[in-house]
Every structure is written in C-alpha cells, then in structure tokens.
C-alpha cells in the first residue's frame, strides 16, 4: 500500500552533517597551530603577541597575536586548515596553542623578557582549563537544536506536511494530491441533504449500491460502470451530489480537482494520475471524484500552438489509459463533474470510460420548493412563510442561487432588526440578487426620471396587453446596480417556445424605447440592454431555431462546441447578408407593433407613468386598477406537470424567456 509520503531525505542529511561536525572537531587539534616555548619567547621578543591565557591545571596556554601579526599569519595560512563550522564559534579562537613544562620557570622567563623590553604590549591572564568533551557536547547540542528547528519549520513544509501550496511536496511532486475519505472520515452530507435531482440521485445510488452489493449485479452478468460524468450549469449541485456519494458509500472516496494535476514541471500530471489510480486500486473497491475535469479533459489538438508534446495532453492520455486500458481494475469507479461537456475529448466520453453522463439541470418548481425546505431549516422564519410562493418567485434559479437568497434574506432581516425572516425580506433578497443594490441617493434630473418612468411603463403596458409576454410582477424607477429602472417579470416555465411567443417577448422588450418615441418624439441610450436581448433573440430565431420563413428550416448551431475553433462561417456571404436583413426585419416589425399598441393606449400609459413617478415602485395590483384584469393568465390555462407524460417530446433545448428584469 502506498502511503504517499515518499522518501524522507532529512535524516540522511542530518547524519551526514553530524558526522562532518564530529570529524572536523576530532581533527581540530591536529589542524590547529602548535607553538613550542622557544618559538613563543622569540615571538614575544618581536612584539607579535597581544595576550596569553594561561591554564595552570592543564599546563597549556592560548596565544593571541597582534593585528599586524595576524595579517602576516593569514597570508601564510591555507584555507583548508579552517573548519566549516568555525563561522559559528561562540568564543574567539587562539592563534597558537602553547604547551609549557613547568609553570614557575615559564613565568620567570616571561617576566624577564618583559623587563628587558618594556615596550612589549603582551598581557597575561589565567583561566580554568577547558574540557574538550564538554565543549564538544555543548556545540553538538546547539547544532542538533538548529537542525530540529530547520526540520519542523522548513523541511516538513517542503515535504508536504505543512501545506499544499505551489512550493509544497518538492521531494514528492509526482504524488497525487487527492484527499481520501474512508470509514474514519465522517462526511456529514447524505442523499437526504440533496433536494431535487431525483434522476441523478437514482443513477448515482445505483453505483453506490453496486459497490456495496456487487454480487447482486455480477451474478446476472452485469459489469460495474467505469465512470459517471455529472454535467450541468454552475450551482446545480454536481459537487454536492459527489459529497453525498462520499457520505453514503462505505468505500474509500478520493476527491480532487482537475487543476491538481497541473504543474509547471513536465510529466508531473501523468505521474499524479498513475499514483492516484495506484492508491485507489490498493484500496479497491473505491471511488475517484475529479471536480472540473475540463481542466485536463479538453479535446486534444484544438487550439494547441505550443506543439504536440503538451503537458495537459500527456495528463489526459494517462487518464484515458488508466480508465480503460490494459491492467485496469474493475473495482474503481471514476466520477467527474463539469459544466463544459462540449469541450471534452471524445475518447474520454466514450462507453467504457464514462459510461453514464448525467445531466443535472436547473431545478423545476417542485424541486425549488424542496431546495428551499433544506436551506430554510436553519433559518428562524416567520409563521406565514409560504415555500410554494418562494419557489414561484425564483424561476431559473440554481440550487446555489436559492441558498444565496436564503442567506441574503437572513442578512436583510438582521439589518432591519427583525426577530424572524419574513416574506418581504425574501422579496428584497430576490430583488437585490437580480437587480443589484438600491442606489436611492443617486442624483437624477427630473426630466431623466420622467423618461425612465415612461420607459418602464412602456414595458409594463405591452407585457400586460400582449398574450404571450411574461406576467408583470413589479416595476420600479429606483436605480439598482447599473440600471436606472427595472421591471420584474415572472416567466412562464415551459419547455417549448413557439414563434408567436417569441414575437410577443420581443415586442414587450422593445416597449421601453417605443414609449420614449411615442411620448417624447425621440429616443435615448437607455435601451442598451433591451436592444442586446432582442438582437440575440432574433438571431437565435433565424440561425438556430429555424423560425424564419425566408431562411427556412436550417440551423447553424453546433452542439459539439467545435465551431469556436473555426475561423469561418458555416454559410456564404450571400446567406449572411440575408440573415442580417431578416434579423433587422423581425426587430423593426415588432418595434412598429409596440408603437401601435402604445399609441392606442396612450392615456393608460400616461396614468401608469404618473403613478410610477408618484410611488416609485408599483406592483401587479396597480396595473389591474388601470388596465383591468389581464386577459391571458397562464395559471388559468394549464400548469406544468412533473411526470413522464410529456416524455415523447424528448429533451428539447429550453428557450430562455425574458430576463426577470429589464434594465434601462
């Protein structure tokens, strides 16, 4: 079993340093400069000796030269005589070591020479004899302390014990960085914590059940799937589903990100893949989870200007080999998550590697209600909170968005001093997430404010009077984020969109600019976001969905995602000119239609704009006072059913309706 620690180089280095230290200290005496008595007296008479330290008990003395004599000696001394540890000596080393026979005779001779030459600067002193073993032991303890500090502070961090930063694991850089969850690790997330995602949970539960009770499937000739790929927009719960698998499965679970394979050194990614699968096979049956696999699974040969020997491609090749190659283990399942399945390599997506591709879509109405139930369990709520109402107010929200709404509502309630989170706190949270923070102190001219009011009233009027436009929820002229005004709609949750429905949505979106033209006789730059939306929607009608009579039933949409690598268009210049003309024709037709609707309902438009200027924020009830009950209410006609009744429709692309706000 690989413990992923690698070889610890610290201890061989420590042993070598200790041996070097003792070797140099054992040979220090032989390498030091010894001086006999005759030589000492001669140097004393020449005035080269500064101090003499006499040790009575050992019959030795340390001789220290003058600066001039030291300079002369240094020129003659060879560097090899110095110890590598001499830099860290605590006390100055003597220049010479003198051994004298009789102390009395030595002192008499010393005093006689000084009397004959009074100019001699030599001083004598007495000290206690040094024990070589004690000094050696003290120095050894000091160096051991230095080495221990070096090990715990620096060396262990380099070996990966202190963190996994870019400089970590310098001696085991090819080892996998996967975090292991086994029976010792308690993962709190289970399938009960995953709201919605019923189809995805069923698929994943089957994988977990296979690992627990493999005999139930193998006796019928079934094989365990090699891989499960979770695909879906950001925030839909892919990683949460993998955490639930780790909490439910009683098998080792290796978790890491796709970027953990990427390193600046060549061959590291492939080495980490090999090490990861080696660990998983040693603990089989096991599950490997790779989050954001598109970091290493991008299609090969696309946009590669650096040559064929690309590090990322080598990592991917090794992953392909490990998942389905010679010697692969059947008891290791690979789970992966990505929101860019279109750019993954085809070899990675084939059966035998990722056998199952599970699409984790944005939650439907009933799934959003379940998600709200999970996130509201930890929040102190008001008694009259309706979870069904909250789910209806958040169409197109992902699981992460709903969690953000709940958290933002709790923060708003605390900011306002509420004892519990009420309905209005949730509505304010949705408004803030969609439109941004209110800027009530923003300076706006009265003429500009009046234009903003008519702009938003134009949106509200047309969306109320046309059949297929999304029902209005709220209109405001209070600046939010980058917009001067906004209108909130409640889009109908549908899986298919007809041509008439898209025309009505285009007309409602152009209602703001049409209102400016109707009232003021000119237009402004405030309709930027509206024009961007209608242009993209009209372009999709012509080039993607085949909803134009002149272009016909043709779609230039590339679901494989390879069109982004091509420099040309899939149609001719003549067709491109025709597409531009049809897009412009669709938009202008709906703009003229909006002008006609507003011209025939100018009095109601004025009343709505004046009310908006007065109250700054109006709701659906205010529109009913002016226009009466809306003739078309999707809730009165049919409601979506979350059964398998409409399975014959397959899995069509969901056409995005109008955004929940229209920015000015």
């Amino acid at each position: 079993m690989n413990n992923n620690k690698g070889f610890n180089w610290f201890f061989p280095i420590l042993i070598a340093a200790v041996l070097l230290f003792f070797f140099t200290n054992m040979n220090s005496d032989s390498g030091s400069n010894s001086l006999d008595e005759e030589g000492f007296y001669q140097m004393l008479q020449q005035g080269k000796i500064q101090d003499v330290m006499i040790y009575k008990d050992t019959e030795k003395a340390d001789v220290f030269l003058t600066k001039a004599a030291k300079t002369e000696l240094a020129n003659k001394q060879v560097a090899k005589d110095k110890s590598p540890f001499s830099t860290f000596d605590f006390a100055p080393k003597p220049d010479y070591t003198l051994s004298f026979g009789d102390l009395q005779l030595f002192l008499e001779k010393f005093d006689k020479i000084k009397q004959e030459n009074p100019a001699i600067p030599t001083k004598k002193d007495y000290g206690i004899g040094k024990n070589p073993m004690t000094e050696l032991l003290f120095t050894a303890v000091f160096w051991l302390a230095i080495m221990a500090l070096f090990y715990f502070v620096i060396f262990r961090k380099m070996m990966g014990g202190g963190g996994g930063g870019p400089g970590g694991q310098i001696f085991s850089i090819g080892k996998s960085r996967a975090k292991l969850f086994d029976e010792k690790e308690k993962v709190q997330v289970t399938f009960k914590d995953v709201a919605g995602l019923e189809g995805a949970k069923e698929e994943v539960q089957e994988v977990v059940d296979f690992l627990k009770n493999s005999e139930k499937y193998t006796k019928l000739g079934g094989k365990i799937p090699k891989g499960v790929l979770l695909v879906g927009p950001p925030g839909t719960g892919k990683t949460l589903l993998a955490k639930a698998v780790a909490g439910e499965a009683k098998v080792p679970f290796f978790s890491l990100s796709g970027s953990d394979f990427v390193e600046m050194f060549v061959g590291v990614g492939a080495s980490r893949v090999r090490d990861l699968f080696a660990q998983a096979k040693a603990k089989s049956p096991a599950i490997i989870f790779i989050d954001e696999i598109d970091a290493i699974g991008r299609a090969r040969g696309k946009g590669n200007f650096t040559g064929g020997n690309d590090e990322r491609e080598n990592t991917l090749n090794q992953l392909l080999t490990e998942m389905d190659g010679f010697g692969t283990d059947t008891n290791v399942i690979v789970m992966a998550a990505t929101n860019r399945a279109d750019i993954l390599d085809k070899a990675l997506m084939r059966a035998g590697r990722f056998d199952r591709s599970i699409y984790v879509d944005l939650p439907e109405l009933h799934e959003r209600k379940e998600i709200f139930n999970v996130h509201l369990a930890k929040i102190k709520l008001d008694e009259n909170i309706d979870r069904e109402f909250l789910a209806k107010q958040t169409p197109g929200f992902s699981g992460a968005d709903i969690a953000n709404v709940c958290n933002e509502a709790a923060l708003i309630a605390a900011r306002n001093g509420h004892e519990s989170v009420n309905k209005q706190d949730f509505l304010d949270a949705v408004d803030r997430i969609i439109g941004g923070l209110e800027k009530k102190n923003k300076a706006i001219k009265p003429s500009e404010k009046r234009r903003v009011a008519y702009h938003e009233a134009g949106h509200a009027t047309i969306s109320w009077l046309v059949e297929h436009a999304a029902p209005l929820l709220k209109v405001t002229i209070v600046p939010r984020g980058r917009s001067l005004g906004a209108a909130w709609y409640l889009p109908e949750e549908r899986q298919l969109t007809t041509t008439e429905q898209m025309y009505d949505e285009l007309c409602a979106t152009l209602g703001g600019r049409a209102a400016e033209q109707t009232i003021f006789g000119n237009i402004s730059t405030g309709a930027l976001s509206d024009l961007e939306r209608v242009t993209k929607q009209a372009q999709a009608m012509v080039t993607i969905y085949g909803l134009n009579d002149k272009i016909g039933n043709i779609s230039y949409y590339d679901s494989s995602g390879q069109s982004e690598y091509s420099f040309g268009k899939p149609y001719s210049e003549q067709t491109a000119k025709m597409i531009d003309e049809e897009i412009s024709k669709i938009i202008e037709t709906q703009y003229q239609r909006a002008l006609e609707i507003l011209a025939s309902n100018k009095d109601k438009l004025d009343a709505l704009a004046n009310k908006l200027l007065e109250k700054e924020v109006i709701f659906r009830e205010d529109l009913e006072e002016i226009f009466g009950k809306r003739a078309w209410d999707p809730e009165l006609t049919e409601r979506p059913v979350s059964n398998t009744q409409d399975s014959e429709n397959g899995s069509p692309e969901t056409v995005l309706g109008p955004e929940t706000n229209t920015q000015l």
Side-chain angles (χ1 to χ4, degrees):
M1 185 179 73
N2 192 351
N3 57 5
N4 195 25
K5 290 185 178 179
F7 183 71
N8 197 334
W9 288 92
F10 175 77
F11 295 104
I13 295 174
L14 176 63
I15 294 172
V18 171
L19 290 176
L20 177 64
F21 168 76
F22 278 101
F23 177 78
T24 53
N25 277 274
M26 291 297 291
N27 293 276
S28 60
D29 291 338
S30 61
S32 62
N33 296 324
S34 300
L35 191 66
D36 58 4
E37 290 191 40
E38 292 297 329
F40 171 76
Y41 297 141
Q42 186 179 355
M43 295 180 69
L44 181 63
Q45 290 175 347
Q46 295 173 357
K48 295 182 178 181
I49 299 176
Q50 184 72 36
D51 294 302
V52 180
M53 180 64 71
I54 302 171
Y55 304 102
K56 298 179 181 179
D57 51 348
T58 59
E59 295 182 347
K60 289 185 178 182
D62 291 336
V63 180
F64 299 90
L65 302 181
T66 60
K67 291 183 178 180
K70 283 185 179 181
T71 305
E72 184 183 350
L73 179 64
N75 296 330
K76 298 178 180 179
Q77 196 173 21
V78 187
K80 67 180 183 179
D81 294 335
K82 294 186 177 181
S83 169
F85 296 94
S86 61
T87 309
F88 302 95
D89 289 332
F90 298 100
K93 289 286 186 179
D95 299 301
Y96 290 100
T97 302
L98 171 66
S99 298
F100 52 86
D102 186 81
L103 178 62
Q104 187 176 356
L105 293 176
F106 173 74
L107 293 175
E108 289 178 357
K109 189 75 177 281
F110 179 84
D111 294 335
K112 183 180 180 181
I113 294 175
K114 285 212 58 175
Q115 288 177 1
E116 294 175 355
N117 301 288
I120 295 176
T122 307
K123 300 178 182 177
K124 64 179 179 181
D125 201 357
Y126 300 93
I128 301 173
K130 296 179 290 184
N131 191 340
M133 293 304 297
T134 305
E135 187 179 1
L136 186 64
L137 182 63
F138 178 78
T139 311
V141 169
F142 170 77
W143 277 103
L144 286 174
I146 293 293
M147 296 295 283
L149 183 65
F150 177 77
Y151 175 74
F152 286 105
V153 175
I154 301 174
F155 205 93
R156 286 193 64 177
K157 187 172 281 190
M158 293 172 63
M159 292 293 293
Q169 301 184 354
I170 195 168
F171 293 104
S172 56
I173 197 164
K175 302 296 181 181
S176 171
R177 295 184 176 182
K179 187 176 181 180
L180 173 61
F181 298 92
D182 52 15
E183 61 275 359
K184 300 177 183 178
E185 299 281 344
K186 293 183 179 180
V187 181
Q188 303 297 330
V189 182
T190 61
F191 286 131
K192 295 180 181 179
D193 301 317
V194 183
L197 310 179
E198 298 302 330
K201 281 198 292 187
E202 185 178 350
E203 294 270 5
V204 174
Q205 278 176 327
E206 186 177 332
V207 173
V208 175
D209 187 53
F210 195 105
L211 291 170
K212 290 182 178 179
N213 310 301
S214 59
E215 296 180 358
K216 184 172 81 173
Y217 301 88
T218 54
K219 69 180 182 180
L220 300 177
K223 292 183 179 179
I224 187 171
K226 293 288 184 64
V228 177
L229 182 64
L230 302 174
V231 184
T236 50
K238 301 183 294 294
T239 306
L240 180 65
L241 198 59
K243 289 181 180 178
V245 172
E248 292 283 342
K250 302 300 181 184
V251 296
F253 185 91
F254 296 87
S255 175
L256 75 166
S257 172
S259 60
D260 289 336
F261 297 104
V262 181
E263 193 65 68
M264 62 177 291
F265 303 107
V266 177
V268 170
S271 176
R272 287 178 177 174
V273 171
R274 287 191 296 269
D275 185 67
L276 172 63
F277 278 85
Q279 294 182 54
K281 290 174 185 178
K283 291 181 173 290
S284 65
I287 297 176
I288 297 174
F289 175 66
I290 305 174
D291 201 4
E292 306 296 343
I293 195 173
D294 52 278
I296 59 171
R298 190 182 296 267
R300 292 166 291 180
K302 303 295 184 183
N304 184 17
F305 301 101
T306 59
N309 191 22
D310 186 49
E311 175 64 15
R312 181 183 52 77
E313 291 191 4
N314 294 338
T315 306
L316 176 58
N317 292 336
Q318 188 62 45
L319 180 62
L320 297 175
T321 305
E322 293 289 347
M323 288 189 68
D324 188 20
F326 288 103
T328 52
D329 199 305
T330 57
N331 288 327
V332 176
I333 294 179
V334 181
M335 289 184 64
T338 181
N339 51 15
R340 296 294 309 277
D342 56 319
I343 65 172
L344 293 180
D345 197 275
K346 292 182 179 179
L348 192 65
M349 299 292 293
R350 74 160 176 85
R353 291 196 173 105
F354 282 109
D355 303 278
R356 300 184 179 182
S357 182
I358 304 172
Y359 187 73
V360 185
D361 203 355
L362 292 172
E364 302 290 338
L365 178 62
H366 66 284
E367 292 177 327
R368 292 200 299 272
K369 184 180 177 182
E370 294 178 10
I371 296 172
F372 267 111
N373 289 334
V374 172
H375 292 294
L376 294 179
K378 300 178 181 179
I379 296 177
K380 188 177 180 182
L381 298 174
D382 196 31
E383 295 179 356
N384 57 357
I385 290 291
D386 184 10
R387 289 169 170 81
E388 185 84 18
F389 172 79
L390 296 178
K392 290 181 179 179
Q393 299 299 311
T394 52
F397 278 44
S398 65
D401 294 332
I402 293 174
N404 191 22
V405 167
C406 296
N407 183 63
E408 193 68 36
L411 296 178
I412 292 173
R415 195 178 301 122
N416 296 330
H418 298 166
E419 295 295 329
S420 59
V421 186
N422 55 33
K423 177 181 175 182
Q424 188 59 43
D425 295 329
F426 281 101
L427 294 177
D428 292 342
V430 173
D431 293 348
R432 180 167 183 178
I433 290 172
I434 294 174
L437 185 65
E438 284 190 355
K439 297 180 179 178
K440 294 183 178 181
N441 58 346
K442 193 167 186 175
I444 303 176
K445 295 179 180 179
S447 59
E448 291 180 341
K449 191 171 184 180
R450 187 167 177 263
R451 184 180 288 271
V452 172
Y454 272 99
H455 184 106
E456 300 301 334
H459 286 302
T461 301
I462 295 186
S463 65
W464 194 267
L465 295 176
V466 298
E467 180 178 357
H468 300 294
L472 184 75
L473 188 66
K474 175 183 176 181
V475 184
T476 178
I477 57 173
V478 178
R480 279 184 176 273
R482 297 169 59 186
S483 63
L484 298 177
W488 279 264
Y489 302 92
L490 203 59
E492 181 185 357
E493 297 194 40
R494 54 179 181 243
Q495 303 299 320
L496 296 173
T497 302
T498 63
T499 308
E500 290 75 16
Q501 288 172 338
M502 297 193 78
Y503 282 154
D504 287 352
E505 291 169 0
L506 289 173
C507 185
T509 309
L510 291 168
R513 170 159 285 194
E516 292 184 42
Q517 180 67 42
T518 302
I519 300 300
F520 304 103
N522 54 31
I523 54 179
S524 69
T525 59
L528 174 61
S529 62
D530 300 333
L531 298 179
E532 182 184 3
R533 286 179 54 209
V534 297
T535 305
K536 288 182 178 179
Q537 198 163 351
Q539 187 179 14
M541 290 178 66
V542 176
T543 61
I544 296 178
Y545 300 114
L547 300 179
N548 182 261
D549 295 332
K550 193 170 183 179
I551 301 297
N553 301 319
I554 297 176
S555 177
Y556 299 106
Y557 178 69
D558 185 11
S559 61
S560 64
Q562 302 303 316
S563 60
E564 62 184 76
Y565 300 110
S566 65
F567 296 99
K569 299 288 185 181
Y571 42 78
S572 64
E573 292 294 329
Q574 184 179 357
T575 306
K577 184 179 179 181
M578 192 187 305
I579 289 173
D580 292 339
E581 291 174 354
E582 290 301 310
I583 292 173
S584 179
K585 182 181 176 182
I586 291 173
I587 295 173
E588 290 304 317
T589 302
Q590 296 307 314
Y591 182 65
Q592 294 300 323
R593 180 188 173 195
L595 289 173
E596 293 173 3
I597 295 174
L598 293 177
S600 58
N601 295 273
K602 189 172 180 297
D603 54 339
K604 296 178 180 179
L605 176 65
D606 290 331
L608 185 59
N610 291 328
K611 181 172 283 193
L612 193 55
L613 284 168
E614 179 187 351
K615 300 174 67 175
E616 289 193 337
V617 180
I618 60 175
F619 298 90
R620 183 169 181 166
E621 295 78 14
D622 299 306
L623 270 76
E624 290 180 352
E625 292 179 7
I626 299 173
F627 295 95
K629 289 285 186 179
R630 192 167 186 256
W632 305 279
D633 194 346
E635 293 187 1
L636 301 177
T637 56
E638 58 178 350
R639 302 187 66 177
V641 182
S642 60
N643 294 333
T644 57
Q645 300 174 0
D646 300 325
S647 60
E648 64 270 12
N649 293 332
S651 56
E653 292 281 338
T654 301
V655 182
L656 297 178
E659 296 178 353
T660 51
N661 69 316
T662 302
Q663 296 184 353
L664 179 63

